[in-house]
Amino acid sequence: MNNNNKNHRKELFMHLDGITIIPTIIALEKLGIVEFIKKNDSFNINDIIEKFEVSDGYLNIAIRSLLSVDILRIDSSQEYSNNKVYTVVQKKINLINNFINSEDYIRLISVHIKLENIINNYAIINSSELNSINTIIGTIKNLQLEKSDFKSQFNYNFYYYLEGILVGPILSNLGFLKKTFKEIEYKPLYELIIKIFILCKFIDNKLEITTRGEFFYKRMSSYGVTTSYLNLLKNLDELINKKNNLVWQRDNNGNEIHVNRSMNVWGSGGAHKFYFKKIDTIIKDIFNKKIENQPKGIIDMGCGDGTFLKHCYDIIINETLRSKYINEFPLKLIGVDINKAARISSRNTLNKSNIDNIVINGNISDPDDLNKRLINEYNENLNDFISTRTFLDHNRIYIKPNEIKNYNIKTTGAFCYKGNLINSSQIINNLINHFCSWKKHVEKHGLIILELHTIKPNLIKKNRGTTLSLSYDTTHGFSDQYLIEYDAFIECAKYAGLKLSTESILYPNLEIPTISINYFK
């Protein structure tokens, strides 16, 4: 990767940070918490809870986000404490008002949320929204003139946060809808996008794509997952203030409200395919064993659209010993997903390729029930299959442990379930219990887990532009998902009796492992 591309990649990562940190700051400002922080050189969570009627769980996630961008700091001895004392970096928090007018950005986010409908001519941009976006464009244009002279890394980063929330969702929606900006029929949006793309140097004054524009156009899907949570991010003040909980609400058709699930699946698809290929070696080793030692097939929890199962099938049939015995030992694939649309999509994917399959409803938090259903309805047993899941364990439904044991495993993560704070000991015990519930069902052929992790906030600060932890921690934290550090994740698995059969594959590197591929036996 040349230097320009390396720089653009850092900018893209900070764009994604901006899509999450700007709404977080706006929510805290609307609630009066930013002003409270400004008036105090230090504080702890309880100081805010005593003054404001807020959820301790979601507040904790918001505060950790400020810690990750160095607006707040803690003493290194307190990084695992449940009652941290935060020191305020006054210079940085006072700069926020120079960068952000909350109402303008709320209107910008409102436009982004309905952008798909605007592009498809089902909605319009009103005058107040247009004025706000033009004001933001003016602010960013002024900041561009100062960028080369920025006296601090914080100012430099904040420029890209603002650029990201302005342009990232536009790229995401155009990519999702397979449109170019030149195909936009609604004139106000067309003119606005041209203005923004010229501002961001994606196109020149002749509307020709630039080198920078080409880099970001090729990576439109990179914005999909973070952009998909915009409705949640726009309403963070109500989430933190306990006025609603979009995460657990559904519309009249049973669809999620807090996330654009279709865009989420689209955005994650490209990245997932890269990691799927890294699992190939494990799959090949399993299905190159003596035939009597091979599993009947693969069971994939959270099967989505069936892409991973089909990928595994193709690898097994084309590149392993199993293909020679396929008539005597047919390969069966089982897809499990809690989402009805995903199950339908999986069946279609596998049936089109004439792949023998079972696709059923199931919850990763209840393998016992899943196994009973497989036995009673299909005469199949979980233990006869190799179990797999990709980026799912962190999305399990939290079950409060009946007993808290001291496992001496620590995490710096911030966790919440329906507004209630989950402390470090609770989440560690919950994860160990979760792994224990699976242990008896994977003893025969093992468990492959591709998982997403958090890293310590000081590492996020140190690696700004090279890690997506801030954006993932924020979207996942506010939607009741549980990202813990890789080391803690592995220790929890060990306590549950799961042992690594092969060395974990880690991304992007050993220092900041935010994605791991693990084969447990």
Side-chain angles (χ1 to χ4, degrees):
M1 187 181 289
N2 62 42
N3 284 335
N4 277 341
N5 282 354
K6 283 182 180 178
N7 289 334
H8 294 334
R9 186 171 182 269
K10 288 183 176 181
E11 293 159 9
L12 190 157
F13 279 26
M14 286 191 284
H15 281 174
L16 296 173
D17 289 347
I19 295 171
T20 58
I21 195 62
I22 301 300
T24 302
I25 291 171
I26 289 171
L28 294 176
E29 187 174 63
K30 288 176 71 175
L31 295 172
I33 295 172
V34 168
E35 192 60 33
F36 170 86
I37 292 173
K38 285 180 181 179
K39 291 178 179 178
N40 293 272
D41 290 329
S42 65
F43 66 91
N44 65 27
I45 292 288
N46 289 331
D47 294 331
I48 298 178
I49 293 170
E50 287 174 7
K51 188 173 179 61
F52 300 90
E53 187 75 22
V54 292
S55 154
D56 55 353
Y58 294 126
L59 174 64
N60 192 39
I61 291 159
I63 293 299
R64 189 177 191 267
S65 295
L66 298 188
L67 187 65
S68 295
V69 294
D70 205 33
I71 290 174
L72 302 175
R73 293 175 183 170
I74 56 170
D75 187 270
S76 59
S77 65
Q78 290 199 327
E79 63 181 1
Y80 294 114
S81 171
N82 288 326
N83 191 28
K84 299 177 181 69
V85 175
Y86 297 92
T87 301
V88 182
V89 186
Q90 292 290 356
K91 287 183 180 179
K92 294 180 179 179
I93 198 158
N94 284 322
L95 279 171
I96 289 172
N97 285 346
N98 299 335
F99 293 129
I100 300 174
N101 179 301
S102 294
E103 290 305 316
D104 287 336
Y105 280 91
I106 289 168
R107 293 189 186 106
L108 170 67
I109 295 168
S110 296
V111 170
H112 285 325
I113 289 170
K114 63 181 180 179
L115 201 54
E116 182 178 341
N117 285 334
I118 298 172
I119 292 171
N120 287 325
N121 297 312
Y122 299 137
I124 63 169
I125 304 174
N126 63 46
S127 57
S128 61
E129 292 168 339
L130 193 60
N131 290 337
S132 286
I133 295 172
N134 278 317
T135 299
I136 291 169
I137 290 170
T139 301
I140 293 176
K141 189 177 290 185
N142 290 335
L143 285 172
Q144 273 187 350
L145 300 175
E146 303 171 21
K147 192 168 58 155
S148 59
D149 297 323
F150 277 159
K151 295 179 181 178
S152 76
Q153 186 66 41
F154 181 80
N155 294 43
Y156 185 85
N157 292 345
F158 225 91
Y159 168 82
Y160 286 106
Y161 299 158
L162 299 181
E163 186 180 80
I165 199 166
L166 176 66
V167 77
I170 295 173
L171 292 173
S172 181
N173 276 278
L174 289 176
F176 179 59
L177 297 173
K178 299 180 180 177
K179 295 265 190 181
T180 68
F181 73 91
K182 293 181 179 179
E183 296 176 283
I184 303 299
E185 297 176 3
Y186 179 54
K187 190 175 179 181
L189 179 61
Y190 172 76
E191 292 176 346
L192 200 59
I193 290 178
I194 286 176
K195 192 182 296 186
I196 291 170
F197 279 8
I198 289 175
L199 173 74
C200 296
K201 297 181 173 56
F202 289 172
I203 57 176
D204 59 26
N205 290 327
K206 295 180 180 178
L207 309 189
E208 296 297 324
I209 188 169
T210 63
T211 302
R212 185 177 195 242
E214 187 175 351
F215 177 91
F216 285 93
Y217 281 8
K218 288 179 179 178
R219 293 160 179 81
M220 286 177 167
S221 65
S222 298
Y223 293 89
V225 172
T226 308
T227 295
S228 72
Y229 285 100
L230 276 177
N231 200 43
L232 175 66
L233 294 168
K234 178 177 178 286
N235 291 283
L236 286 184
D237 59 314
E238 295 192 355
L239 189 74
I240 296 169
N241 205 27
K242 299 194 287 190
K243 287 187 177 178
N244 70 42
N245 195 326
L246 289 180
V247 179
W248 298 95
Q249 293 177 11
R250 298 293 182 266
D251 65 16
N252 293 333
N253 296 315
N255 298 314
E256 295 161 296
I257 296 173
H258 73 288
V259 63
N260 181 336
R261 185 58 66 188
S262 296
M263 179 175 285
N264 186 280
V265 171
W266 167 77
S268 62
H272 287 191
K273 287 178 183 177
F274 170 80
Y275 299 114
F276 289 171
K277 291 180 181 179
K278 299 299 178 180
I279 298 175
D280 289 358
T281 301
I282 300 172
I283 296 295
K284 288 177 188 177
D285 287 345
I286 292 169
F287 288 93
N288 273 323
K289 292 178 179 178
K290 291 181 180 180
I291 192 63
E292 59 270 21
N293 296 329
Q294 291 187 22
K296 292 180 71 173
I298 296 176
I299 180 163
D300 185 35
M301 294 296 303
C303 57
D305 64 358
T307 299
F308 178 68
L309 281 172
K310 184 180 183 305
H311 173 80
C312 290
Y313 181 87
D314 291 339
I315 292 295
I316 294 165
I317 293 299
N318 295 316
E319 301 183 43
T320 74
L321 180 70
R322 183 60 166 268
S323 60
K324 297 179 180 179
Y325 299 92
I326 203 66
N327 291 327
E328 187 180 355
F329 296 90
L331 184 67
K332 180 161 285 187
L333 304 186
I334 299 178
V336 185
D337 206 294
I338 204 167
N339 184 285
K340 183 179 179 180
R343 297 196 298 272
I344 292 170
S345 183
S346 272
R347 286 191 196 99
N348 290 339
T349 298
L350 300 173
N351 289 341
K352 282 179 184 176
S353 298
N354 295 316
I355 297 171
D356 186 21
N357 69 87
I358 297 170
V359 179
I360 61 174
N361 183 18
N363 182 347
I364 190 173
S365 299
D366 196 352
D368 289 345
D369 179 70
L370 173 62
N371 192 48
K372 284 179 185 177
R373 289 192 57 203
L374 286 172
I375 292 170
N376 293 335
E377 298 176 28
Y378 301 97
N379 197 30
E380 301 290 358
N381 191 304
L382 264 175
N383 239 325
D384 292 329
F385 293 77
I386 173 72
S387 287
T388 66
R389 55 260 206 147
T390 55
F391 302 112
L392 187 66
D393 287 80
H394 65 262
N395 198 19
R396 67 191 180 278
I397 297 173
Y398 178 75
I399 300 171
K400 187 176 181 179
N402 292 324
E403 179 185 2
I404 298 296
K405 297 179 181 178
N406 182 15
Y407 290 105
N408 198 29
I409 303 173
K410 298 178 180 179
T411 174
T412 65
F415 312 103
C416 182
Y417 179 62
K418 295 187 176 181
N420 298 312
L421 185 145
I422 301 169
N423 66 35
S424 176
S425 296
Q426 289 171 323
I427 203 67
I428 293 300
N429 275 264
N430 166 264
L431 182 56
I432 292 173
N433 291 345
H434 169 69
F435 282 143
C436 285
S437 72
W438 276 92
K439 174 68 168 63
K440 62 186 176 184
H441 297 296
V442 298
E443 288 177 328
K444 195 171 178 182
H445 296 291
L447 170 65
I448 299 172
I449 298 180
L450 202 170
E451 184 57 307
L452 186 65
H453 305 285
T454 189
I455 55 177
K456 296 178 180 180
N458 68 319
L459 286 175
I460 298 175
K461 285 186 282 191
K462 179 182 174 183
N463 292 278
R464 177 66 64 242
T466 59
T467 176
L468 294 174
S469 281
L470 174 59
S471 59
Y472 283 139
D473 286 351
T474 307
T475 54
H476 288 57
F478 283 124
S479 54
D480 292 9
Q481 299 182 63
Y482 312 109
L483 304 181
I484 71 168
E485 293 86 345
Y486 163 74
D487 290 343
F489 182 83
I490 295 299
E491 286 300 308
C492 288
K494 286 181 180 177
Y495 268 106
L498 296 173
K499 297 179 181 179
L500 284 170
S501 181
T502 59
E503 190 173 335
S504 298
I505 303 172
L506 303 177
Y507 295 94
N509 55 52
L510 292 174
E511 183 185 6
I512 49 172
T514 51
I515 290 174
S516 68
I517 299 173
N518 314 280
Y519 178 33
F520 296 106
K521 286 293 292 285

